[in-house]
Amino acid sequence: MPAFRQVVEKQLPNPILYMAWSPKRDLIAMANTAGELLLHRLANFQRVWILPPNENTGKEITALAWRPDGKILAFSLGDTKQVVLCDAEKAEILHLFPVDYTVSCMHWMEVQEDNSTLTSFYDSEDESNCFLPKLPTLPKSYSTTSKIFSEEKSDEVTNLLGEVRLNILVVGGASGCVELYAYGLYKTATLREITETCRSLCLSSDLKSLSVVTEKRSAENDPEIHYVQLDTGLLSSCLPELTRMARKFTHIFTLLQYLRLSLTCMCEAWEDILMQMDLRLTKFVQEKNTSTQVQDEFLELLLWGHASPELQALLMNQLTVKGLKMLGQSIESSYSSIQKLVISHLQSGSEALLYHLSEVKGMALWKQKFQPLGLDPAAIEDAITAVGSFTLKASELLQVIDKSMKNFKAFFRWLYVAMLRMSDDHVPPELNKMTQKDLAFVADFLSEHFSANEELFDRKGKYFNVERVGQYLKDEDEDLVSPPNMEGNQWVTFVQGSTHLKESPLLFPTYPQKSLHFVKRMMEGMIERCLQKPAEVIGRSVKQAVCLPLYTVPESSENTPRLFELPSLWNDKKARMHYVVFCMPEISPSKIYILRRGTDPSRCVPNGLVAIDLSCTLNTSIDDEAPAAEPPGDGTYSCLDARLYDDETLTVILRGQEEDESRGRVLAQLNLTSALSCEEEFTWDPTLRLDQQSGAIPAQGLVWGNQWRDLENMKAQFVAVNGIRKVSCVLSSNLRHIRVFEMDVEDEEEEERAEDSQEISLEQDGLDDTLTSQKGTMKDGEEQIEEEDHQRVEESGDTLEQTSGSDTL
């Protein structure tokens, strides 16, 4: 009996290009040729969600990677050159960032090192909550194209940041471009040591080295595979400092996103109807026959109650009493919403940003610890100053809103009464009272806002700028149309008259001529420069430790999806070693090669290169009473795909040398313990490629017992495995036909029987009678899982939930 069982078999409509199991849940993510990203759960291969291609993000998926906690899925897009972080629960795009190259591979690693310094940092991670209020969620009614914060889920910041323990997303692409992103957000390093195209990556969990499989053209212009090991010792030696710095920068990054979305909500709260007054007054100037100014027309109406025929037509026919009321309500509602967003979101977000930048500045001043990582106190100080300027500009906007609301309220109240009198309607007594103070207030408003501006007409095509708030929300480089009047401001006068304060670095610059968007972009640029310096310094510290030429690629594999190509990489966290599994079908078709390197580049690993000989048969069984079935063909096999299931087990797809198409291919589990304990050493000649000296590599045969299964009626070609969840997914050569297997089923079934009182009553002998009875038991279990899972999906509306043998999201 095989030690694993098939639970799903599906034919998919579109060819699968990439597939990856979640590290924490029984979920598999797949990308197809249609540009769709799909998430399926193990039970009955139920589809959880599908993310269709988007013109704004892209349609050509080139790589996949799961965050170690299984909550976020990263994928890259080749047509738009972007990396996208997607919420695994709701298929929502949480964040995306551009890259300068087409991504060809990704790897997301979690640091496993623990020490007292890191433990204390993990415990104190939330200390900022003691000093900073919780950021309010953005209003649900405001739609944004890239939601990171929503009313439905107030902890989106925590979800995007993930756990405190450091994890790093490694992104590689053409021309040897390799970048490291702490927590998948902050660019920690840009590596320049590799010049060839990256095909796969693996960063060790102790951060001491990075394994990269590259491809370059040989002298004969054939694709040539190299293994490169990069020394990332600085990351390892400064791990506590790196974690603190990365966590702070990630907080800063998410706060910038929060401020961007807050500003977006403010722009959406601003109504276009507020522009009607300016446009109608401009049209009035262009059409009126008199030479009098508009402000004179309104002042005459204010003082004497008389309006020219042109002004009366403007007010009664174009603006109308009903339109005036609607305009007043729109202005009050819009300004109130913007004012609340500035106070609750912009100011609170800016305060949190200043707090975290100040802590980063403190780190930078601790040169003994943080100077090797490239923290620059001067650049951080510039960023703090820019945030201060943004805060002042937000306060200036609040003053403009407050003044505008008072002005418009008084103006519309007077104009409403005047229009009622023009139409001979009844004027309510409470509106008919107007003091001398109110009269002077409206007169000042008319003289300031209703004077025609020829320069403004040349710039904007209008003579007036009655509405002053919208200019702050426009994403333009031009100066404000109507900057605030600072004449008479005692503080401005005092600062300008003081020699010392005028140039003091303690005072934040105000930029009175610029919009809020302009100051926000300037702040982002300063913070970006602050973040770039450590990435450059850390990137320069990474050096190439090893470069081993392996073999040339057969031309027949040029069209194979890159994710499915060997070599495959693995990091043995306990033994602190890198594994490279590959085949050389042109040289040794029946052998699998395993290259091992210590994560510390200076460490020498015995038996660093061994070969597994597949020429032995599969029918050797440890169970004499139930011998394994005869394998197809003559017992000599070649490897089509190989992935490490765990530190000691290799999952492979095999093909017989004389393949019987009716019987299919073989899925097998190879125990590597005996092969890796080989005492025979291989002496590597650095002047030759490995395939040119492959005859000297020590080879080992393995006894496989019942750890294999014949894949009938399927031309299996590729496999994706997850040893933690004990699952594998086999894909056919046409990239459409898949089979999903649960591995190590015998042990799991014994646990289930121990927990289930009904199955405890069954006789053990009856369970072991025949293979047919065992398969029947498995089938019943599958049907029960399918029925329960289908019921849950219907109740939850196709969202992720707990399934049998699975964790919850």
Side-chain angles (χ1 to χ4, degrees):
M1 167 190 167
F4 37 89
R5 67 175 180 185
Q6 178 179 316
V7 294
V8 171
E9 182 170 11
K10 292 279 187 180
Q11 289 283 350
L12 301 176
N14 295 303
I16 298 298
L17 294 178
Y18 305 94
M19 55 184 182
W21 284 101
S22 168
K24 296 292 186 181
R25 297 166 178 82
D26 295 336
L27 301 167
I28 186 169
M30 298 184 295
N32 59 28
T33 54
E36 299 171 331
L37 183 65
L38 306 101
L39 189 68
H40 287 256
R41 81 164 49 88
L42 174 63
N44 199 29
F45 211 65
Q46 181 74 40
R47 191 174 75 191
V48 179
W49 50 252
I50 178 172
L51 187 66
N54 188 300
E55 294 182 357
N56 298 323
T57 55
K59 301 179 180 179
E60 182 187 340
I61 298 178
T62 59
L64 292 176
W66 283 91
R67 196 168 74 178
D69 64 1
K71 294 182 179 179
I72 289 182
L73 180 63
F75 61 95
S76 58
L77 297 158
D79 49 346
T80 58
K81 294 184 179 179
Q82 295 184 106
V83 176
V84 180
L85 303 186
C86 175
D87 187 343
E89 183 174 357
K90 296 183 179 180
E92 290 181 352
I93 294 177
L94 298 179
H95 173 62
L96 54 85
F97 57 87
V99 290
D100 298 329
Y101 50 89
T102 300
V103 176
S104 57
C105 52
M106 293 193 298
H107 173 243
W108 209 330
M109 179 279 314
E110 183 177 56
V111 175
Q112 297 294 328
E113 288 287 325
D114 280 324
N115 56 46
S116 57
T117 306
L118 278 176
T119 302
S120 62
F121 169 66
Y122 296 154
D123 296 338
S124 63
E125 158 64 10
D126 295 330
E127 63 183 8
S128 60
N129 295 333
C130 301
F131 306 102
L132 297 173
K134 185 177 180 180
L135 292 176
T137 56
L138 293 176
K140 188 177 180 181
S141 58
Y142 301 135
S143 59
T144 55
T145 56
S146 175
K147 285 189 177 180
I148 293 182
F149 308 90
S150 66
E151 187 74 25
E152 296 177 353
K153 191 166 185 179
S154 59
D155 60 345
E156 291 289 357
V157 183
T158 306
N159 188 27
L160 192 61
L161 288 174
E163 299 177 357
V164 183
R165 183 185 296 273
L166 179 63
N167 58 76
I168 297 179
L169 175 64
V170 189
V171 179
S175 303
C177 298
V178 179
E179 294 177 335
L180 277 61
Y181 291 85
Y183 302 102
L185 298 172
Y186 161 59
K187 186 190 292 186
T188 308
T190 301
L191 311 186
R192 306 292 184 187
E193 285 294 307
I194 298 177
T195 57
E196 302 88 16
T197 299
C198 300
R199 287 183 48 169
S200 56
L201 302 154
C202 185
L203 181 63
S204 64
S205 62
D206 57 8
L207 293 184
K208 290 186 177 180
S209 61
L210 172 66
S211 282
V212 186
V213 173
T214 65
E215 176 184 319
K216 65 176 292 186
R217 291 287 173 174
S218 65
E220 296 78 17
N221 202 32
D222 294 325
E224 188 172 282
I225 303 301
H226 286 210
Y227 169 72
V228 179
Q229 187 176 14
L230 301 177
D231 186 348
T232 57
L234 178 63
L235 300 179
S236 176
S237 60
C238 298
L239 177 58
E241 294 77 20
L242 174 67
T243 304
R244 285 177 176 270
M245 181 187 75
R247 193 66 176 178
K248 278 298 172 187
F249 278 164
T250 309
H251 276 293
I252 292 169
F253 175 82
T254 54
L255 286 169
L256 286 177
Q257 292 291 80
Y258 181 81
L259 293 176
R260 291 190 195 107
L261 292 177
S262 300
L263 198 51
T264 301
C265 288
M266 291 166 55
C267 294
E268 292 175 355
W270 186 77
E271 296 284 351
D272 289 336
I273 193 175
L274 306 179
M275 300 295 296
Q276 291 183 7
M277 180 68 75
D278 296 339
L279 298 177
R280 284 170 178 166
L281 288 174
T282 298
K283 186 178 180 181
F284 172 69
V285 171
Q286 293 172 339
E287 294 180 351
K288 74 184 181 70
N289 297 322
T290 61
S291 60
T292 57
Q293 295 290 330
V294 174
Q295 63 176 354
D296 296 335
E297 298 266 358
F298 276 95
L299 284 173
E300 183 179 351
L301 177 62
L302 174 65
L303 297 176
W304 309 110
H306 299 298
S308 66
E310 293 87 353
L311 179 60
Q312 188 169 353
L314 169 68
L315 297 177
M316 303 306 296
N317 298 335
Q318 296 186 31
L319 186 58
T320 73
V321 175
K322 184 178 180 180
L324 181 66
K325 290 184 66 176
M326 184 181 300
L327 183 60
Q329 292 171 357
S330 296
I331 287 179
E332 184 175 3
S333 174
S334 175
Y335 284 4
S336 298
S337 298
I338 295 173
Q339 194 175 42
K340 291 176 182 177
L341 286 168
V342 173
I343 295 173
S344 62
H345 294 76
L346 279 192
Q347 289 189 337
S348 59
S350 301
E351 290 171 0
L353 201 54
L354 281 173
Y355 173 87
H356 290 294
L357 279 172
S358 299
E359 287 208 332
V360 174
K361 182 182 176 182
M363 296 177 188
L365 295 175
W366 193 357
K367 296 184 178 181
Q368 181 183 1
K369 291 283 187 180
F370 291 93
Q371 192 173 33
L373 296 177
L375 280 180
D376 184 2
I380 299 171
E381 184 62 40
D382 292 340
I384 292 175
T385 302
V387 175
S389 298
F390 179 77
T391 305
L392 291 179
K393 182 59 67 171
S395 299
E396 178 184 312
L397 176 58
L398 281 178
Q399 296 175 5
V400 172
I401 291 175
D402 186 62
K403 183 178 179 181
S404 296
M405 289 182 71
K406 292 179 180 179
N407 289 341
F408 277 118
K409 188 174 182 179
F411 172 69
F412 283 139
R413 178 176 177 174
W414 161 74
L415 191 59
Y416 179 67
V417 172
M419 292 175 68
L420 287 177
R421 288 173 178 168
M422 288 180 190
S423 59
D424 297 328
D425 289 339
H426 173 69
V427 178
E430 65 272 9
L431 297 179
N432 205 16
K433 299 177 182 179
M434 193 169 187
T435 64
Q436 190 67 29
K437 184 177 180 181
D438 295 335
L439 193 68
F441 192 84
V442 174
D444 292 340
F445 175 75
L446 291 173
S447 62
E448 181 181 355
H449 290 75
F450 283 75
S451 58
N453 188 337
E454 297 291 341
E455 181 184 353
L456 177 61
F457 184 81
D458 295 336
R459 288 175 55 188
K460 302 293 183 180
K462 60 180 184 178
Y463 288 103
F464 304 93
N465 188 43
V466 177
E467 199 281 319
R468 302 293 174 88
V469 175
Q471 60 183 345
Y472 283 86
L473 304 179
K474 292 182 178 180
D475 194 1
E476 298 176 350
D477 291 332
E478 296 182 3
D479 291 347
L480 294 176
V481 174
S482 302
N485 186 5
M486 295 297 181
E487 294 182 6
N489 187 305
Q490 296 181 358
W491 171 252
V492 174
T493 304
F494 173 70
V495 171
Q496 293 298 326
S498 173
T499 306
H500 300 288
L501 287 179
K502 189 175 182 180
E503 304 295 334
S504 173
L506 300 177
L507 298 181
F508 298 138
T510 57
Y511 304 102
Q513 303 293 326
K514 298 300 182 180
S515 69
L516 184 64
H517 258 291
F518 179 89
V519 179
K520 186 261 298 181
R521 289 203 311 271
M522 184 192 67
M523 174 187 69
E524 291 174 340
M526 291 291 185
I527 294 178
E528 182 67 23
R529 284 191 287 273
C530 171
L531 301 181
Q532 283 179 348
K533 185 71 179 293
E536 296 172 359
V537 172
I538 295 174
R540 288 195 298 266
S541 73
V542 176
K543 302 298 181 183
Q544 180 175 296
V546 174
C547 182
L548 303 175
L550 299 181
Y551 58 92
T552 56
V553 179
E555 291 296 334
S556 59
S557 68
E558 281 297 291
N559 296 324
T560 305
R562 289 301 191 204
L563 181 72
F564 298 136
E565 284 186 340
L566 294 176
S568 63
L569 298 176
W570 176 265
N571 176 219
D572 186 342
K573 300 177 180 60
K574 295 180 181 178
R576 299 178 183 270
M577 284 193 294
H578 289 290
Y579 284 63
V580 188
V581 181
F582 58 96
C583 297
M584 296 185 287
E586 302 294 318
I587 306 298
S588 306
S590 62
K591 290 182 180 179
I592 301 175
Y593 298 89
I594 300 178
L595 171 65
R596 295 188 299 166
R597 298 283 308 181
T599 56
D600 185 348
S602 62
R603 172 188 167 197
C604 181
V605 177
N607 314 315
L609 179 63
V610 297
I612 298 175
D613 192 352
L614 301 173
S615 60
C616 65
T617 60
L618 300 180
N619 61 349
T620 305
S621 175
I622 59 174
D623 187 356
D624 295 335
E625 297 181 0
E630 286 294 326
D634 61 359
T636 302
Y637 293 85
S638 60
C639 179
L640 298 175
D641 196 13
R643 307 288 158 176
L644 275 155
Y645 183 77
D646 55 37
D647 295 337
E648 298 178 348
T649 308
L650 185 68
T651 304
V652 294
I653 300 292
L654 304 178
R655 174 179 58 188
Q657 299 288 13
E658 298 178 2
E659 184 177 358
D660 183 353
E661 296 291 341
S662 64
R663 299 197 63 181
R665 303 179 184 184
V666 174
L667 171 67
Q669 296 275 75
L670 308 183
N671 191 307
L672 302 178
T673 305
S674 60
L676 299 180
S677 61
C678 173
E679 297 181 357
E680 187 177 354
E681 289 284 349
F682 169 70
T683 303
W684 199 303
D685 186 349
T687 62
L688 300 175
R689 280 197 320 265
L690 183 63
D691 58 0
Q692 297 171 337
Q693 47 186 323
S694 60
I697 301 175
Q700 295 286 318
L702 300 178
V703 178
W704 297 348
N706 63 352
Q707 300 292 314
W708 66 275
R709 179 167 185 144
D710 185 15
L711 301 174
E712 298 179 355
N713 302 318
M714 180 184 189
K715 293 190 68 175
Q717 186 81 17
F718 311 108
V719 64
V721 298
N722 185 344
I724 298 175
R725 308 303 302 176
K726 300 180 180 180
V727 288
S728 66
C729 183
V730 177
L731 181 65
S732 66
S733 57
N734 68 2
L735 308 179
R736 295 173 183 265
H737 184 190
I738 66 168
R739 290 181 182 174
V740 181
F741 295 88
E742 287 183 335
M743 320 300 279
D744 304 328
V745 175
E746 290 178 325
D747 294 335
E748 293 183 2
E749 286 186 341
E750 289 177 4
E751 293 177 3
E752 291 175 3
R753 286 196 295 269
E755 297 173 357
D756 194 327
S757 60
Q758 293 181 358
E759 291 191 7
I760 289 178
S761 63
L762 297 176
E763 294 291 332
Q764 184 65 31
D765 294 338
L767 292 176
D768 297 331
D769 281 341
T770 60
L771 181 61
T772 305
S773 64
Q774 291 175 0
K775 287 185 176 180
T777 303
M778 294 176 194
K779 184 176 180 180
D780 293 339
E782 290 176 25
E783 290 175 352
Q784 181 180 357
I785 292 173
E786 180 179 353
E787 182 179 355
E788 293 176 355
D789 182 72
H790 182 68
Q791 183 179 359
R792 290 190 183 98
V793 170
E794 289 182 344
E795 293 175 353
S796 64
D798 207 24
T799 59
L800 286 182
E801 297 179 6
Q802 181 179 5
T803 60
S804 300
S806 303
D807 296 335
T808 57
L809 276 178

